[in-house]
């Protein structure tokens, strides 16, 4: 029988070296790897067992009755973990209940749940987490449970970068007000580019499944009683984004300190905060999201909708005049740059043009008589789609999703091109998922920083293909993505805090590191394994970095559950949003 790497889900810094040794040592393993939250009755249900065993399995209910017998399947090898595996399909088990797998009369691993609402909890927790990321307000009982904290970062005097002596300016000290918004990740910065794809994903979840989204509730203080709760949470960040637009339509790239703070609570991070530079990518991300939001919020608040649409148009107009103004990180700033370094802005222009045209048509504008509206479509036609996937650095696929689903708005020809690109990518992912030894639709290039978000975004591609075609094979592929995140992986954990039999205990997340609460806030998706290892301590002097875990030489195994591991165990809003979409969409679809 082959071996797999062992893992400890709770690690203290004092014992980290021993854990790294344990992480990279081989131990025999016979347990099944599966979605630890369970499966909907009609969902595809796959269980991975590492090794090579000729004996089959039985699925029994808790009363001991055998409901399914399975012969041993063929053995596969997964290059990303170095394991041999056997994949068992138990999809025939559809009756809600709790089951166990047996081999030679002995049960294996943990129970398996089949039920109608297995992802309701993780969907709501992944969405409520955005409340825990709110800046500029205290988190109080009972809403915050045991994770109460004081308000931090009121951001009522944010210095415009370059206008004070600290950043080489003349000391004028020009300031703006930029309160509200979500902390971006494990740090306390607020970034327009990353907010863009995050907000779009959450709003698209609402657009695709409004009836289901309207039923979702979690315990937070209400500010806009007439708004669905999901839209109220998103508005908290939209309000912040609006503060970063200048009178000429330009948009500041981010609000942050000049350097990351230590592991302190929000209210103790008191270094000056800056609105740092303007960029074309920030303007276009802002324009696209504000246009989308104007359409979503129109039935609830026409004045707010109109405000956002005007802001979107102004940002796009500024970007057209300044197409080369890409963000370049100043030498004295070391917070997140959100600039991949090889930008041309085409995907952001594509995204913004699509959303503006869609919103203008939805608001009643006639492109045959309104030149401004027609110009957005012309810009789109002159900037063809590409095959690229969706992440903060490339918004092409977001535009593809929109156009493929709206031939009446964009025309059959353009929608047909978008549909082909979407289905080509979905078919590629599905082919990988069907042949992978872990049944995971994941490209080789997805194994990088935030690999778990790549899995979730691949799931969204497959869901969009399913919604377009009603072909269940795409739905099964999306299920495979969620299964991996919730336990069907070589680490045998869910990568979501607070869920499953084993989950991360020590995320790289400053509020969690400083709150004196053992349990992390539930519902956070950690970044996941990859071989980058940017967080290891190479020279022995960086005491806040991780010991070298280079012995984990396979990408699916290079993960460490410790707050030092910002490369594999950090959290981020643009990772939680696709998790919420993936879990929420599957829950909504299977409960129709």
């Amino acid at each position: 029988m082959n071996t797999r790497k062992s893992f400890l889900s709770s690690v203290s810094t004092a014992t980290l070296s021993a854990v790294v040794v344990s992480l990279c040592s081989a131990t025999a393993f016979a347990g099944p790897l599966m979605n630890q939250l369970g499966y909907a009755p009609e969902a595809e249900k796959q269980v991975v067992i590492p090794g090579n065993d000729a004996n089959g399995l039985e699925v029994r209910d808790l009363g001991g009755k055998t409901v399914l017998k399975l012969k041993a399947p063929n053995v596969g090898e997964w290059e990303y973990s170095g394991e041999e595996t056997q994949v068992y399909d138990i999809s025939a088990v559809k009756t809600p209940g709790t089951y166990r797998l047996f081999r030679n009369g002995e049960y294996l691993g943990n129970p398996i749940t089949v039920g109608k609402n297995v992802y309701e909890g993780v969907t709501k927790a992944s969405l409520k987490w955005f409340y825990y990321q709110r800046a500029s307000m205290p988190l109080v009982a009972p809403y915050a449970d045991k994770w109460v904290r004081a308000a931090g970062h009121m951001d009522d005097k944010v210095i415009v970068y370059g206008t004070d002596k600290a950043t080489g300016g003349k000391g004028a000290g020009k300031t703006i007000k930029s309160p509200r918004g979500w902390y971006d990740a494990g740090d306390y910065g607020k970034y327009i580019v990353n907010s863009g794809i995050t907000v779009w994903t959450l709003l698209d979840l609402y657009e695709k499944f409004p009836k289901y989204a309207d039923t979702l509730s979690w315990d937070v203080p209400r500010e806009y009683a007439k708004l669905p709760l999901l839209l109220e949470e998103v508005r908290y960040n939209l309000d912040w984004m609006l503060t970063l637009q200048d009178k000429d339509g330009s948009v500041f790239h981010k609000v942050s300190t000049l350097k990351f703070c230590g592991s302190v609570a929000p209210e103790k991070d008191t270094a000056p905060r800056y609105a740092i530079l303007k960029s074309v990518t920030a303007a276009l991300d802002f324009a696209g999201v504000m246009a989308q939001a104007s359409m979503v919020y129109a039935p609830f608040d026409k004045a707010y909708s109109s405000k956002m649409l005007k802001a979107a148009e102004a940002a796009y107009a500024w970007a057209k005049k300044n197409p080369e103004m890409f963000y370049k990180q100043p030498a004295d700033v070391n917070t997140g740059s959100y600039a991949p370094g090889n930008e041309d802005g085409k995907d952001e222009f594509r995204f913004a043009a699509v959303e503006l045209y869609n919103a203008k048509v939805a608001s009643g504008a006639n492109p045959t008589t309104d030149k401004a509206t027609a110009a957005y479509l012309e810009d789109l036609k002159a900037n063809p789609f590409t095959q690229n996937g969706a992440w903060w650095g490339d918004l092409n696929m977001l535009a593809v999703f929109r156009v493929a689903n709206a031939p009446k708005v964009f025309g059959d020809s353009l929608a047909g091109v978008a549909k082909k690109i979407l289905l080509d990518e979905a078919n590629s992912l599905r082919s990988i998922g069907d042949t992978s030894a872990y049944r995971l639709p994941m490209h080789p290039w997805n194994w990088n920083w935030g690999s778990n978000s790549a899995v979730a975004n691949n799931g969204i591609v497959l869901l969009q293909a399913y919604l377009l075609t009603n072909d269940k094979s795409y739905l099964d592929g999306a299920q495979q993505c969620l299964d991996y995140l919730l336990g069907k992986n070589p680490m045998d954990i869910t990568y979501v805090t607070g869920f499953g039999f084993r989950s991360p205990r020590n995320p790289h997340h400053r509020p969690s590191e400083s709150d004196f609460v053992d349990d992390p806030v539930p519902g956070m998706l950690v970044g996941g394994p990859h071989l980058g290892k940017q967080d290891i301590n190479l020279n022995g002097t960086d005491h806040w970095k991780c010991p070298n875990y280079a012995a984990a030489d396979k990408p699916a195994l290079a993960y460490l559950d410790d707050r030092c591991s910002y490369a594999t165990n950090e959290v981020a809003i643009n990772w939680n949003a696709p998790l919420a979409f993936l879990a929420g969409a599957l829950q909504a679809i299977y409960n129709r």
Side-chain angles (χ1 to χ4, degrees), residues 133-136 179-183 190 236-237 239-241:
Q133 290 295 101
R134 289 187 188 183
S136 312
R180 300 168 75 92
W182 301 315
Y183 296 131
K190 299 186 292 189
Y236 194 83
N237 199 68
D239 287 349
W240 164 71
M241 294 177 74

Side-chain angles (χ1 to χ4, degrees), residues 156-203:
D156 51 355
K157 293 182 180 179
V158 175
I159 303 166
V160 175
Y161 180 87
T163 63
D164 72 333
K165 293 179 180 178
T167 56
K170 298 180 180 180
K174 180 181 178 182
T175 63
I176 63 171
K177 296 180 185 291
S178 190
R180 300 168 75 92
W182 301 315
Y183 296 131
D184 178 70
D187 66 286
Y188 297 131
K190 299 186 292 189
Y191 307 84
I192 286 290
V193 167
N194 212 35
S195 280
I197 191 169
T198 301
V199 168
W200 189 94
T201 302
L202 294 176
L203 290 182

Side-chain angles (χ1 to χ4, degrees), residues 159-174 256-259 272-277 330-334:
I159 303 166
V160 175
Y161 180 87
T163 63
D164 72 333
K165 293 179 180 178
T167 56
K170 298 180 180 180
K174 180 181 178 182
S256 75
T257 52
L258 297 182
K259 301 183 185 302
R273 304 264 282 183
Y274 292 83
I276 301 178
L277 306 185
D332 59 345
V333 177
N334 77 349

